[in-house]
Every structure is written in C-alpha cells, then in structure tokens.
Amino acid sequence: MAPALEDDEIDNNDYYSLLNVRREATQEELKGSYRRLCMLYHPDKHRDPELKRQAEQLFNLVHQAYEVLSDPQLRAIYDIYGKRGLDVEGWEVVERKRTPVEIREEFERLQREREERRLQQRTNPKGMISVGVDATDLFDRYEEDYKVLPGGGFPHVEINKMHISQSIEAPLTTTDTAVLSGSLSTHNGNGGGNINLALRRVTSAKGWGEVEFGAGDSHGPLLGMKIFRNLTARCFVTAQCGLQFSSRGVRPGCTTVLARHLDKNTMGYLQWRWGTQSSMNTSIVRDTKTSHFTFAMQLGIPHSFMMMSYQYKFQDDEQTKVKGSIKSGFFGTVVEYGAERKISRHSVLGATVSVGVPQGVSLKIKLNRASQTYFFPIHLTDQLLPSAVFYATVGPLIFYLAIQRLIIRPYVRAQQEQDLEKHRESSASDIARKKQEAESAVLLMQESVRRIIETEESRMGLIILNAWYGKFVTDNSRRHERAKVIDVSVPLQCLVKDSKLILTEATKTGLPGFYDPCVGEEKSLKVLYQFRGVMHQVLSPDGEALRIPKQSHRIDADT
C-alpha cells in the first residue's frame, strides 16, 4: 500500500468528478468532456464583469484538471497519491514516461529521504503489564472452612504475581539504533528486575547485527549478540548467543533459527537451543487473509511437546478473530480457545480459556492499546471442573457485551462526533469556497440549461424536475435529525446530452455546481425527472455510478 502523504484525507476522485469521466477514461473521452466544459465556462461568453470573473476561475480549474489527467506521468502520480502527490518536492528530476510502478518506487524513495530527516525525532515505545490473579477459591474450596472464619461466605481472590516491561528505540544514524529496555517482576512477595541496552546496526540490505548488555538483581550481568541474515530471497537465519554471569559462575547459551518461505503464505522454521534448557524445535506457520495455522514439535530438556493451533479471521470492521489450539507433551495436555476483537481505532481486546491436565482451568484476558499490552491471567481451579469452564467461557462474553453497549459504543460515538466536528471546523473555509464556486457555476449554466430544456421538451426527452444532494433522513428512528441537502437540479440538467445523464463511479462533490453539504457524513443523490412525459425517481448512494433514464425508476400512476 502506498504511504500516506499527510494525515489529511486525500481525494483522488476530484479531477475525475470535475470532468465527469471514468477513472479509466481514454484521451478522447477526456478531450470531449474538457471541450464541453470549456464551452460552458469560457470567459468570453459572458459580458457581466462578475460572471466573467467567476467563469474565468472555473475555466482555470477545468483546465488544471485536464492538464493533469491528459499527461500520462502526472495522471499516474495523481491516481496513486492524489493532488498532494503532485506537490511533493523531487518530481522535477524524475525521468518522464515512467510506468506507474516506477513512479511508485520513485515516490517511496522521496518518502524515505523525508523520513531520514525526521529520524532523530522518532522512538518506538513498547510496553507490557501482566497481573496474575489467583481465583481458585471461587471453585476449589470447602464450605466448612468458611463457617469458622469472619465473613466466611466470601471467597479469597488475590494478585499473586506481576510483571512490567518497557522498551524504547532511539535512532542514532540511518543504520544504527539503540534500544533501551527494562522490566520488574514479583511473584508471591519475591521480585526482581533488570535493565538492558542493545545497539543494532544494519550492515546491508540482507542483514543486521546487535550487541546487548544487561544487568539485574536476579541473574547478574548479561552479555549477548544477535545476527540476522538473508541467505536467499526465500530463506533467512538468526543466531543469538549470550553469557549470563551469576554467583554460580558463567552460564552460556545459544539459539539459532533457520526459516524458509515454503510458498506465498507459508513459512517453515527450524530452531536449535543450547544451554541450561537445550531443545530442537520445528514449526510450520501458514498465514492467509482469512486464517492462521501453526504446527510445531519440540524435543528437549526439560520439555518435549507437540502443538497445533488455528485462527479464523472474520472480514468485518472489528477484525474479529476466533482461535483454538491443543498442546501435549511431558508436562501434560492443554486445550485453549478464545477470540479477540477490535474495540476502537487503537485497541484490541481478547480472551482465552485454557483447560489442561494437570494445569486446571484459567482465563486469560489481553488488551492491546497501540504499542502497550495489558495481560491478566486468572487461574480459576487446579481441577477440570465443568462449572469453571462454563463460567470462564460465558462470563467474559456477557461482560464484553455489557461493556460494549454501556461504555465502548457511547465512547466511540462521542469520539467520532468530536472528530467530525473538528473536521468540519478545519474544512469550513474550504467548504465555503467550494460553495461559492458551485453557486457561480450554477449562474453560468443558466443559459445552457435553458437551451437544453427546450431541446429535450421538443423531443419528449429527459427533463430534471428536482434534484437534491446530501444527507437524507429515511429511518424513522432518526426523524429527529435534520436533512442536509442542496438543490442540484441545474447542474444535473446541464449534464444531460441526447436525453441521457451518465454519472461516473465517483463522489459527486467534485461535479460542477456541487459541493459537500454535510462533511464526513453519508450522502446520496435524489433525482425526480420526466422522460417521455412519465415521472421517474431515483435515490443513488454517493460514489456509485448513475445512468438515467431507466425503466426501474418509473413512478406508477397509483403511487
């Protein structure tokens, strides 16, 4: 995907809408539409000084649109990046007659140069907070134990462990990066922490190397090194070695991973680990647009296991995913299932139920907020109790639906309204200018529309009786909202040719005589027209192509 030029939304359809042509329009189609609009807006056709000035502005706007779309290189830039792409510095040195792919590559090069200038101002903070909860008293308890205790009817739930970690990246040069990270952990009253500093250098397009220094109160100083290298276009290797210094001596360790693309969506991994916990692991990971599958096997000390997991991705706005996995080895067997869903623009909420022998039943809740992760593993019971599995499954679902309805949806709705209001305020001056241009265009169209109507009436052709563009309120539950529409009867009649009106598949705000009456809201075009003496009506969503007249638009006499 092409990188965005700025945070502002880019409208790629403006020039096409202005000329009312398809995005695939040929040079002949562009030229025909351009000539027609030039005849309509030519300044020499108007004697009134004010109309002449308005016609000159619209004539220049049409000419600018035609200049861009008739030039293959400028059109390719505009199609990919919009009008802002034409303003990026550096295009003047690009060789002309390049293909769209070459233009995209050149633009990305210019973007990289700009990113390098901003390099010193960037960091990449990442963090995680994990809070472990022991709730086994909810299910594993003896009722008689509570009869002798004060307030004995309430089970005891406690936090038994916590982990906090944070890291930031500091670019030093275009090839060197420093990474500072630290963590704190506590479990049943005992805790510790460590701090690490890593220096990473990109040695070439095929690889990078990293040196790590660390210190902590639980494991002592650490010295490590990591190397990444692309062996071929489909294969890479990483190697990591380290020395851990402690009161018991020096503990060396080494990990090597060899990975290969088996096909477009599948990766194969081989991992060797040598040290206090030596093992060999092999896995296959297949990731597609709709699913994610993993199969792994490990032989090692102290654990050997086999694991298989599957995740299905729904193609909805919330990016919902459901997943399940089974893992079996010397430690026992664990079955997990769960789901995750996007609850706001930067937040993803997930819940997983873990059922295992001899681990028992646990509920794991995770919230990803931008680059921060909040993890809450809740241990419910050490036994396989159906009641624990039931409440671990149904409880989070009910809780999520309640939070979604009472908190998340109202918050998101309020945030969207706030963003929409800010967008309206920032674009108020531009909308006022567009409105003035549209009103000027309607004045300039009057004479042409009068001639078109006379011609169409003489042949019992297409007459636009009324046309409105904007937000229509058709839902009874939204009757309190006010419709926001503008009259576009004259602009549409001006586009009628040979008793036909054809609008391309693009937003209508760019058409001559149109402007946006409700910024950021869904819009439609409603047309009441007469053809061969019969009334017709159509309501067309903004952005969809429209062709009239049509038999399906006909209004029955009984209506």
Side-chain angles (χ1 to χ4, degrees):
M1 180 180 291
L5 292 171
E6 297 290 347
D7 294 335
D8 298 333
E9 183 180 354
I10 297 175
D11 182 9
N12 289 343
N13 298 318
D14 190 36
Y15 284 163
Y16 291 98
S17 296
L18 180 62
L19 299 181
N20 192 30
V21 293
R22 301 173 297 116
R23 292 184 62 83
E24 302 80 14
T26 63
Q27 290 293 331
E28 289 73 18
E29 291 174 328
L30 289 171
K31 189 176 295 183
S33 179
Y34 173 64
R35 285 178 176 175
R36 185 182 182 192
L37 291 175
C38 284
M39 292 176 62
L40 178 64
Y41 297 135
H42 202 287
D44 294 342
K45 294 182 60 179
H46 305 277
R47 296 181 180 180
D48 183 89
E50 181 61 22
L51 290 179
K52 191 179 186 71
R53 183 187 63 82
Q54 295 172 354
E56 187 174 355
Q57 292 178 352
L58 293 170
F59 182 83
N60 291 336
L61 188 61
V62 171
H63 180 69
Q64 180 185 13
Y66 177 71
E67 274 194 332
V68 171
L69 298 185
S70 61
D71 185 300
Q73 185 193 25
L74 295 180
R75 184 175 180 178
I77 298 171
Y78 178 78
D79 285 346
I80 299 172
Y81 303 107
K83 288 184 290 186
R84 292 184 183 271
L86 302 171
D87 299 330
V88 175
E89 297 179 1
W91 287 124
E92 63 275 4
V93 299
V94 178
E95 181 184 356
R96 298 185 65 80
K97 298 183 180 179
R98 287 195 173 189
T99 65
V101 174
E102 294 172 326
I103 290 174
R104 183 188 294 271
E105 293 174 351
E106 183 64 24
F107 178 82
E108 290 173 351
R109 183 189 67 80
L110 296 174
Q111 285 288 87
R112 284 195 299 270
E113 291 179 356
R114 186 170 67 172
E115 293 300 323
E116 289 174 1
R117 292 193 294 266
R118 299 179 179 179
L119 196 59
Q120 297 299 328
Q121 305 174 0
R122 290 192 170 184
T123 61
N124 184 24
K126 296 179 181 179
M128 180 176 180
I129 297 177
S130 176
V131 180
V133 179
D134 183 358
T136 54
D137 246 11
L138 292 173
F139 300 96
D140 296 343
R141 64 176 181 173
Y142 292 96
E143 296 295 338
E144 55 268 21
D145 292 343
Y146 290 89
K147 296 179 181 179
V148 298
L149 296 175
F154 298 97
H156 184 61
V157 178
E158 63 178 3
I159 296 175
N160 60 355
K161 57 183 176 180
M162 182 178 292
H163 175 80
I164 301 175
S165 63
Q166 185 73 32
S167 69
I168 58 171
E169 294 183 0
L172 305 178
T173 66
T174 56
T175 58
D176 297 332
T177 303
V179 182
L180 181 64
S181 61
S183 65
L184 293 171
S185 300
T186 177
H187 188 196
N188 291 331
N190 298 318
N194 62 72
I195 186 170
N196 295 74
L197 174 64
L199 300 176
R200 184 186 306 147
R201 164 166 286 189
V202 179
T203 56
S204 67
K206 293 185 176 181
W208 51 266
E210 183 178 282
V211 178
E212 182 180 10
F213 307 91
D217 58 357
S218 57
H219 298 294
L222 169 69
L223 176 63
M225 181 177 65
K226 187 175 182 179
I227 298 174
F228 171 88
R229 180 75 177 178
N230 280 312
L231 303 179
T232 65
R234 300 170 59 89
C235 183
F236 67 86
V237 63
T238 62
Q240 183 175 5
C241 297
L243 296 175
Q244 185 77 60
F245 300 89
S246 65
S247 58
R248 299 179 180 180
V250 180
R251 292 185 297 174
C254 185
T255 301
T256 303
V257 178
L258 177 66
R260 177 179 173 81
H261 287 274
L262 303 180
D263 60 34
K264 181 181 178 180
N265 300 308
T266 308
M267 289 287 296
Y269 297 90
L270 285 174
Q271 176 179 284
W272 296 270
R273 180 180 296 163
W274 174 77
T276 55
Q277 294 185 353
S278 299
S279 64
M280 182 180 70
N281 182 292
T282 180
S283 61
I284 296 177
V285 179
R286 180 171 178 80
D287 190 18
T288 65
K289 185 179 180 180
T290 59
S291 64
H292 182 94
F293 174 79
T294 302
F295 177 79
M297 293 180 61
Q298 176 175 300
L299 296 175
I301 302 172
H303 295 308
S304 296
F305 66 84
M306 180 182 297
M307 187 271 291
M308 183 170 61
S309 69
Y310 179 80
Q311 182 183 82
Y312 182 78
K313 307 173 186 177
F314 291 90
Q315 304 302 304
D316 55 359
D317 295 337
E318 289 78 18
Q319 301 177 9
T320 307
K321 301 174 184 177
V322 294
K323 56 187 177 181
S325 68
I326 181 170
K327 186 176 181 179
S328 182
F330 292 165
F331 57 84
T333 300
V334 177
V335 176
E336 293 187 343
Y337 58 90
E340 67 177 45
R341 195 175 196 185
K342 187 176 182 181
I343 58 175
S344 69
R345 183 178 179 182
H346 301 291
S347 301
V348 177
L349 180 64
T352 303
V353 178
S354 177
V355 182
V357 178
Q359 291 83 359
V361 181
S362 297
L363 171 64
K364 303 174 184 177
I365 299 175
K366 183 167 68 172
L367 173 65
N368 290 326
R369 172 71 178 172
S371 59
Q372 301 294 315
T373 301
Y374 305 90
F375 184 55
F376 303 93
I378 305 172
H379 188 50
L380 299 177
T381 174
D382 294 324
Q383 307 176 50
L384 291 182
L385 298 179
S387 58
V389 177
F390 174 79
Y391 285 112
T393 304
V394 177
L397 181 60
I398 296 176
F399 180 76
Y400 168 76
L401 293 176
I403 294 296
Q404 179 81 0
R405 180 176 294 272
L406 300 177
I407 298 178
I408 296 176
R409 287 183 181 176
Y411 172 77
V412 172
R413 192 181 301 113
Q415 192 69 30
Q416 289 175 345
E417 292 176 356
Q418 184 179 357
D419 293 342
L420 181 58
E421 189 61 31
K422 289 181 179 179
H423 183 50
R424 286 172 180 166
E425 293 176 359
S426 63
S427 59
S429 59
D430 185 58
I431 294 300
R433 178 179 59 81
K434 292 279 189 181
K435 180 180 179 181
Q436 185 178 4
E437 290 178 357
E439 292 172 348
S440 300
V442 170
L443 288 176
L444 298 173
M445 293 175 183
Q446 297 292 341
E447 183 62 28
S448 297
V449 167
R450 184 183 61 80
R451 292 196 301 267
I452 293 173
I453 291 177
E454 290 177 354
T455 303
E456 294 297 324
E457 285 179 342
S458 65
R459 64 172 69 165
M460 295 287 289
L462 177 59
I463 307 295
I464 305 296
L465 300 177
N466 282 299
W468 303 271
Y469 175 70
K471 176 185 176 182
F472 296 88
V473 179
T474 57
D475 189 353
N476 291 330
S477 62
R478 299 166 58 192
R479 288 295 182 184
H480 64 282
E481 298 184 22
R482 183 172 59 89
K484 304 173 184 177
V485 297
I486 57 174
D487 189 339
V488 291
S489 306
V490 172
L492 284 188
Q493 186 68 67
C494 193
L495 294 174
V496 173
K497 183 179 180 181
D498 298 330
S499 298
K500 293 179 182 178
L501 174 62
I502 301 175
L503 301 181
T504 60
E505 189 175 356
T507 179
K508 309 300 186 295
T509 55
L511 289 172
F514 282 64
Y515 68 93
D516 193 344
C518 47
V519 177
E521 300 184 63
E522 293 185 2
K523 291 171 281 290
S524 301
L525 176 63
K526 187 174 184 179
V527 185
L528 178 65
Y529 64 94
Q530 182 177 297
F531 180 67
R532 294 179 181 172
V534 180
M535 301 288 288
H536 295 69
Q537 183 173 281
V538 60
L539 181 65
S540 175
D542 189 32
E544 291 189 6
L546 177 63
R547 185 185 183 96
I548 58 177
K550 273 190 175 182
Q551 184 71 23
S552 58
H553 300 164
R554 183 168 177 167
I555 301 177
D556 296 333
D558 297 335
T559 304

